[in-house]
Amino acid sequence: MSTATDTWKKVVRAFLHLVILVLAGLLVFHHSLMLYDLYLGTGGHAQTLFDYVQSLCRLLIIVSLLLVIFGVRWALWGMWFSIGGLVATQYWAHFGNLPVDFTEGRHPLSYLKGFIFPTVITLAFRYSRGATIVSTAAKQ
């Protein structure tokens, strides 16, 4: 009975690690691609203060997510701080009437969807480290 529970815990933890890897990997790829496009791609325009602030947020997102992938717990704080900063810059562009294309036709609440992946990553990280999803009733 204990062996089945231990096996189940290992399967759940492996699944949660996979969820972290996939979601964090997608975010790292997306933000790396955005940075590449801005500085080495066909962007071709002069960078503004807004671009530099967003680039710094994206770089911090990449670094913190790579640390999260490798299991560094405090990197979750960095992930939340940097993603929160990126969402704040999107609100800056939206309400500050900055000349950017992504604000056209968007509802102000749409920027909050940037918190979905970090929430899932945080919950998966929490339950894959020490805390178990399997209820205590299974131990009885």
Side-chain angles (χ1 to χ4, degrees):
M1 185 164 54
S2 175
T3 308
T5 304
D6 291 340
T7 304
W8 177 248
K9 287 179 184 179
K10 288 179 184 177
V11 168
V12 169
R13 284 186 179 146
F15 174 73
L16 292 174
H17 285 293
L18 182 64
V19 167
I20 293 168
L21 180 66
V22 168
L23 293 180
L26 283 171
L27 287 175
V28 166
F29 177 74
H30 170 73
H31 291 292
S32 298
L33 194 62
M34 297 293 286
L35 286 175
Y36 174 82
D37 191 42
L38 180 64
Y39 292 106
L40 301 174
T42 58
H45 69 279
Q47 279 76 31
T48 62
L49 174 63
F50 175 77
D51 292 327
Y52 289 127
V53 171
Q54 275 211 325
S55 296
L56 178 63
C57 289
R58 291 183 192 282
L59 185 62
L60 291 173
I61 289 170
I62 292 167
V63 170
S64 64
L65 284 172
L66 288 174
L67 290 172
V68 166
I69 288 172
F70 289 111
V72 179
R73 180 175 289 278
W74 59 265
L76 288 171
W77 287 98
M79 174 191 73
W80 279 102
F81 177 74
S82 54
I83 290 175
L86 186 65
V87 170
T89 62
Q90 291 171 342
Y91 277 111
W92 173 27
H94 189 87
F95 292 114
N97 295 322
L98 297 179
V100 292
D101 295 334
F102 70 85
T103 60
E104 292 179 28
R106 287 188 74 176
H107 191 275
L109 293 178
S110 69
Y111 303 111
L112 296 178
K113 69 183 176 186
F115 291 123
I116 295 172
F117 278 11
T119 302
V120 173
I121 290 169
T122 301
L123 291 173
F125 195 93
R126 160 84 170 94
Y127 287 114
S128 69
R129 301 273 185 242
T132 59
I133 293 177
V134 179
S135 69
T136 56
K139 292 181 181 179
Q140 297 174 350

